């Protein structure tokens, strides 16, 4: 009888422990990557689609962030132009149309007046090759393709099967304000020599339509009646601004005006032509910021794209001299509004504007306003206060936040057994040294240990009673 009670208690405790582990709800959404082909020739391009998968009904994804690494012996340097987008520099993801921002050698604060965006950094201050940040306006509620990125294979790329040629690493999916574990997906490629067509210029091939020894060849350069004597193929080699635009100085918020600007294409035979302004694109195409010191002009012809830049000056929007500061407001809330106690407020993504007595407004640089509390947040903190002073006038506004209590030590012991430190520095300048999220398998370790101990005790008790 005592043996049966002991076994019953053992099973009951094990069930309770296993049930307790189920309370650690994981983010269901994850990512997937799929190349257009697993085999690619030297000098060709393979397109990899990044997609959102396993999003549960009723859940909403607010952002996707991660790093892209690739084999430098196989793939050309990844650039923002390798992200597939429309002629205006936008991508459509689900129901949202997002601007693709180039943050290489820049900072995420340079797009602080944008509520939703795709940010690319081809030179993050970390050991990674590039970083992608996708921030949504209303969030995604269903599985969908996120980005298509073209990876150009080097003409002298290593041949054969290249394992992990492309790695999408440490991708974090934010779902209902909860972050997923770091997700890593890998793409292996088989690189082969570029195929040579059936020698189209072999003069000994009688089936060659360009055989100069074939008198019936309409493209025979030795045929005086041939009006289409082929020359070397002429290719686009570059573009340049030969006449700068009429307007080169702007006030922030204005859009670039190409009036008066002349852009010419240059070709391999030394010829040039003026490009119609409807045939090239200018980036940024939207409201200019004080951080914009130039615009980029892009032109594509026969699969070749060339770019050049035009220097501009963007001045801060200033109120009339007799206008006075009347109020300030948060026009775009910060990217992060939910914290764990002990963390500090992060103003990244937040846009604060000053309003003046004459009705004008201006964006306040984040270095010109203060935020309180500035230190460790507590669970009692429901808002932070933003303060801005100008010409002796001080105005404040509040931003709502949520501060959750720190998880208990027991929970941490279960959930944070993976203590490997991530030394990568994020594009947005956030602190390094964060713990890499646990894989999830560790939640079963403690119950199994307890179960093993109880089984051992029960077995000893069983032997004891059996002997009696």
């Amino acid at each position: 009888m005592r043996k049966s009670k002991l076994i019953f208690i053992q099973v009951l405790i094990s069930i309770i422990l296993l049930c307790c582990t189920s309370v650690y709800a994981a983010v269901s959404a994850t990512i997937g990557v799929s190349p257009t082909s697993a085999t690619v020739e030297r000098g060709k391009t393979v397109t990899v689609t990044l997609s959102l998968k396993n999003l549960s009904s009723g859940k909403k994804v607010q952002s996707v962030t991660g790093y892209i690494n690739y084999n430098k012996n196989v793939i050309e340097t990844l650039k923002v132009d390798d992200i597939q987008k429309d002629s205006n520099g936008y991508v459509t993801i689900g129901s949202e149309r997002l601007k693709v921002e180039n943050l290489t050698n820049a900072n995420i604060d340079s797009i602080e007046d944008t509520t939703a965006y795709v940010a690319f950094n081809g030179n993050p201050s970390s050991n990674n090759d590039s970083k992608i940040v996708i921030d949504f306006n209303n969030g995604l509620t269903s599985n969908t393709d996120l980005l298509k990125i073209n990876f150009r294979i080097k003409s002298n790329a290593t041949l054969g099967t290249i394992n992990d040629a492309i790695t999408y690493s440490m991708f974090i999916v934010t779902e209902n304000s909860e972050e997923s574990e770091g997700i890593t997906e890998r793409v292996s490629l088989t690189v082969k020599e570029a195929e040579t067509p059936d020698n189209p210029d072999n003069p000994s091939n009688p089936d060659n339509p360009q055989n100069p020894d074939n008198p019936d060849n309409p493209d025979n350069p030795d045929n005086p009646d041939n009006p289409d004597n082929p020359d070397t193929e002429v290719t686009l080699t570059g573009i340049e601004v030969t006449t700068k635009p009429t307007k080169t100085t702007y006030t922030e918020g204005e859009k670039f005006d190409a009036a008066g600007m002349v852009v010419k294409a240059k070709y391999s035979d030394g010829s040039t032509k003026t490009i119609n302004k409807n045939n090239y694109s200018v980036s940024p195409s939207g409201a200019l910021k004080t951080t914009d010191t130039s615009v980029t002009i892009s032109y594509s012809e026969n699969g070749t794209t060339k770019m050049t830049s035009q220097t501009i000056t963007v001045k801060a929007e200033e109120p009339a001299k007799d206008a006075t500061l009347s109020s300030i407001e948060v026009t775009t809330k910060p990217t992060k509004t939910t914290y764990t106690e002990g963390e500090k407020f992060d103003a990244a993504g937040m846009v604060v504007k000053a309003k003046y007595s004459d009705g004008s407004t201006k964006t306040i640089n984040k270095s010109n306003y203060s935020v309180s509390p500035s230190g460790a947040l507590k669970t009692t903190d429901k808002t932070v206060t933003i303060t801005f002073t100008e010409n002796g006038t001080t105005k404040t506004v509040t931003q709502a936040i949520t501060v959750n209590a720190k998880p208990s030590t027991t929970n941490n012991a279960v959930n944070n057994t993976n203590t490997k430190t991530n030394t990568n520095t994020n594009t947005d300048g956030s602190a390094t040294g964060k713990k890499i999220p646990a894989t999830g398998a560790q939640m079963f370790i403690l119950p199994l240990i307890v179960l093993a101990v109880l089984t051992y005790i029960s077995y000893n008790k069983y032997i004891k009673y059996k002997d009696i």
Side-chain angles (χ1 to χ4, degrees):
M1 183 67 179
R2 292 180 61 187
K3 177 178 70 175
S4 299
K5 286 183 178 181
L6 183 62
I7 295 174
F8 174 76
I9 293 172
Q10 167 197 336
V11 173
L12 180 62
I13 293 175
S14 299
I15 292 174
I16 292 173
L17 288 171
L18 288 172
C19 289
C20 289
T21 63
S22 67
V23 302
Y24 300 107
V27 172
S28 62
T30 185
I31 64 163
V33 295
S34 57
T36 50
S37 175
T39 302
V40 61
E41 297 176 14
R42 280 176 166 177
K44 300 294 184 180
T45 297
V46 61
T47 301
V48 177
T49 300
L50 172 67
S51 57
L52 181 68
K53 301 167 58 178
N54 301 335
L55 180 56
S56 301
S57 176
K59 297 292 185 70
K60 181 181 291 187
V61 168
Q62 291 93 8
S63 66
V64 178
T65 304
Y67 296 93
I68 300 177
N69 297 289
Y70 48 89
N71 191 318
K72 310 299 186 307
N73 295 322
V74 176
I75 296 170
E76 298 280 2
T77 301
L78 192 63
K79 300 178 181 178
V80 69
D81 291 329
D82 295 320
I83 299 175
Q84 292 187 9
K85 49 191 174 297
D86 62 26
S87 58
N88 294 317
Y90 285 82
V91 295
T92 299
I93 304 176
S95 61
E96 300 200 24
R97 186 167 179 261
L98 309 179
K99 176 70 173 177
V100 178
E101 301 279 358
N102 185 6
L103 294 188
T104 302
N105 301 321
N107 189 283
I108 202 166
D109 290 336
S110 63
I111 55 171
E112 62 184 1
D113 61 342
T114 307
T115 57
Y117 52 85
V118 175
F120 171 86
N121 188 338
N123 186 28
S125 52
S126 67
N127 294 325
N128 296 285
D129 298 323
S130 58
K131 183 176 182 181
I132 295 289
V133 177
I134 309 175
D135 187 64
F136 299 103
N137 225 340
N138 301 314
L140 297 180
T141 56
S142 61
N143 298 331
T144 185
D145 289 343
L146 298 173
L147 292 177
K148 293 180 183 291
I149 301 178
N150 299 327
F151 291 87
R152 292 166 289 132
I153 307 302
K154 290 184 173 181
S155 59
N156 61 345
T158 303
L159 296 174
T161 299
I162 311 299
N163 293 322
D164 302 342
I166 305 167
T167 303
Y168 286 67
S169 64
M170 288 304 298
F171 266 74
I172 303 295
V173 178
T174 302
E175 178 187 270
N176 286 12
S177 300
E178 296 291 335
E179 292 186 351
S180 72
E181 300 172 350
I183 306 165
T184 297
E185 293 287 339
R186 296 177 171 85
V187 175
S188 295
L189 297 174
T190 299
V191 180
K192 64 179 185 177
E193 284 282 10
E195 293 183 2
T196 304
D198 296 333
N199 199 2
D201 296 318
N202 182 1
S204 62
N205 180 359
D207 297 322
N208 174 16
Q210 293 185 6
N211 181 1
D213 295 328
N214 183 354
D216 296 326
N217 174 19
D219 295 326
N220 183 358
D222 296 327
N223 182 355
D225 297 326
N226 174 18
D228 298 319
N229 186 354
D231 294 321
T232 303
E233 182 182 5
V234 178
T235 58
L236 179 68
T237 58
I239 63 173
E240 64 176 338
V241 176
T242 57
T243 304
K244 67 180 182 180
T246 305
K247 183 175 182 178
T248 57
T249 300
Y250 296 84
T251 299
E252 63 176 333
E254 291 185 303
K255 294 184 178 181
F256 178 76
D257 184 359
M261 183 170 70
V262 177
V263 182
K264 288 193 174 184
K266 298 188 292 184
Y267 296 89
S268 56
D269 64 351
S271 62
T272 63
K273 80 169 183 181
T274 299
I275 307 172
N276 187 293
K277 69 178 201 175
N278 295 323
N279 294 332
Y280 61 75
S281 62
V282 177
S283 177
S285 59
L288 295 171
K289 304 181 288 292
T290 55
T291 52
D292 294 323
T293 57
S294 66
V295 293
T296 301
I297 299 101
S298 302
Y299 173 66
S300 297
E301 184 177 297
N302 297 328
T304 300
T305 300
K306 296 297 179 182
M307 295 181 293
T308 188
S309 61
Q310 169 60 47
T311 301
I312 60 172
T313 301
V314 183
K315 297 180 178 179
E317 182 182 10
E318 294 293 341
K321 290 185 178 180
D322 57 349
T324 57
L325 180 67
S326 57
S327 65
I328 63 173
E329 65 174 337
V330 177
T331 57
T332 301
K333 67 180 183 179
T335 304
K336 182 175 182 178
T337 57
T338 301
Y339 297 85
T340 300
E341 63 176 328
E343 291 185 303
K344 293 183 179 182
F345 178 75
D346 184 359
M350 183 170 72
V351 178
V352 183
K353 289 196 172 183
K355 302 167 98 175
Y356 294 87
S357 56
D358 63 350
S360 62
T361 63
K362 79 168 184 180
T363 300
I364 307 172
N365 188 292
K366 65 186 295 184
S367 62
N368 293 333
Y369 61 75
S370 61
V371 178
S372 177
S374 59
L377 296 171
K378 304 185 293 292
T379 55
T380 53
D381 294 323
K382 306 301 180 185
T383 62
V384 292
T385 300
I386 298 99
T387 303
F388 173 63
T389 301
E390 186 177 72
N391 297 329
T393 301
T394 298
K395 297 296 179 181
T396 61
V397 69
T398 59
Q399 168 60 48
I401 59 170
T402 300
V403 183
N404 297 319
K406 285 184 178 179
S408 67
T409 304
T410 302
N411 288 345
N412 285 339
V414 175
N415 285 323
N416 294 324
T417 57
N418 184 351
T419 57
K420 184 178 179 181
T421 301
N422 174 17
T423 58
N424 295 333
T425 302
N426 293 332
T427 307
D428 56 9
S430 58
T432 59
K434 292 183 178 179
K435 298 297 178 68
I436 296 177
T439 61
Q442 69 279 359
M443 67 173 60
F444 298 105
I445 294 176
L446 182 60
L448 290 175
I449 292 174
V450 174
L451 184 60
V453 172
L454 291 176
T455 301
Y456 176 76
I457 295 174
S458 300
Y459 177 75
N460 286 333
K461 292 291 184 180
Y462 171 73
I463 294 300
K464 177 180 179 182
Y465 287 121
K466 182 179 178 182
D467 293 340
I468 293 174

